[in-house]
Amino acid sequence: MTSESQKVAIVTGSSRGIGRATAERLASDGFAVVVNYAGNEAKARDAVAAIESNGGRAIAVQGDVSKQDDVSRLFSTAKETFGRIDVVVNSAGTLPMAKISTENLEAFDQVIATNLRGTYLVLAQAAEHLDAGGRIIAFSSSVLGKSFPAYGPYIASKAGVEGLVRVLANELRGRDITVNAVAPGPVATEMFLDGKSDELIEQIAKQAPMERLGQPQDIASAVSFLAGTDGAWVNAQIIRVNGGFV
């Protein structure tokens, strides 16, 4: 059990990449953290160990965000363990490269299930469990502004996420709970780098005026702002954290 004054954050998809950086940053900000993972228990436990080694508190909870029962169990476990939930960050996501073709319908269904249905389920549980002062943070993507070939299913899922964020902010009117999304540009994670040549990675990195890929910590810093006291007046926004990748 946490102390009554310690706030608690759930971060989905936080065994690696942006999610893990976010979990570690929120822990350093003073939150007790629920590290959610879909399948890689070893990496989730590594994330918990890293947080605990720096004096933080964390637990790992398995759950597929596309499954209603798993998401319900994630929230109930967080509440049972720590007694409260203050911040929910939905970082879980998948990025299959697939052109718009009937041959790729399975890939489309997969990314919609994880990225859009998953966001819907996590946001719904967050709306049910958070009290005044709560923060809900989803993930979109700056690639929405690019319309690259083979990103159709992914972009469709993230466009849906942006719509859900704005609607939920209105549905929570009067409850003092903010709902926002962070939309990263290209970030040097396993998910982004997978299947890309060095030449393509270099080409993408040069597109932003900062001429580099983002790092997971760059995105975690933006989440930290939205989750902290300084982000209290930011609501129903899509924050594009991308080094000028527009």
Side-chain angles (χ1 to χ4, degrees):
M1 210 65 170
T2 58
S3 69
E4 289 188 8
S5 62
Q6 185 176 26
K7 291 186 175 182
V8 177
I10 293 175
V11 185
T12 69
S14 51
S15 63
R16 60 180 186 158
I18 293 171
R20 174 164 177 169
T22 297
E24 292 183 357
R25 173 58 188 266
L26 293 180
S28 73
D29 290 344
F31 289 88
V33 180
V34 179
V35 174
N36 160 258
Y37 65 100
N40 199 322
E41 181 179 3
K43 286 193 175 182
R45 295 200 178 280
D46 283 347
V48 169
I51 289 169
E52 291 178 338
S53 70
N54 286 318
R57 302 198 64 190
I59 61 168
V61 179
Q62 189 279 334
D64 182 336
V65 295
S66 72
K67 297 179 179 178
Q68 184 174 0
D69 289 347
D70 284 17
V71 178
S72 296
R73 178 169 47 81
L74 170 63
F75 277 76
S76 62
T77 302
K79 207 74 172 280
E80 289 163 10
T81 303
F82 294 125
R84 59 189 289 173
I85 303 169
D86 301 274
V87 171
V88 175
V89 182
N90 187 47
S91 174
T94 184
L95 175 54
M97 303 299 291
K99 290 187 176 180
I100 299 170
S101 163
T102 54
E103 295 176 358
N104 293 324
L105 186 58
E106 185 176 343
F108 175 82
D109 288 343
Q110 176 197 359
V111 73
I112 292 297
T114 299
N115 294 4
L116 186 53
R117 176 184 166 89
T119 298
Y120 183 95
L121 289 171
V122 172
L123 264 56
Q125 284 286 326
E128 180 179 334
H129 286 281
L130 266 59
D131 295 322
R135 309 292 170 79
I136 302 172
I137 302 160
F139 270 79
S140 180
S141 172
S142 288
V143 80
L144 264 68
K146 292 292 189 179
S147 304
F148 291 138
Y151 275 83
Y154 182 74
I155 286 175
S157 73
K158 293 303 187 179
V161 167
E162 294 193 5
L164 290 176
V165 162
R166 294 189 173 107
V167 171
L168 184 58
N170 280 322
E171 291 180 351
L172 296 181
R173 176 181 295 273
R175 288 182 54 187
D176 189 27
I177 297 171
T178 66
V179 189
N180 295 288
V182 170
V187 179
T189 63
E190 290 177 38
M191 186 172 79
F192 172 78
L193 298 173
D194 184 45
K196 294 183 176 68
S197 66
D198 290 343
E199 291 78 16
L200 179 58
I201 292 167
E202 179 74 10
Q203 177 186 339
I204 294 172
K206 292 292 186 183
Q207 289 190 27
M210 305 297 282
E211 295 193 334
R212 68 170 175 87
L213 295 179
Q215 295 299 316
Q217 292 77 13
D218 294 323
I219 313 305
S221 295
V223 175
S224 172
F225 165 71
L226 292 172
T229 55
D230 288 344
W233 193 234
V234 181
N235 194 22
Q237 301 303 309
I238 314 300
I239 311 298
R240 308 209 179 277
V241 186
N242 57 27
F245 179 83
V246 293

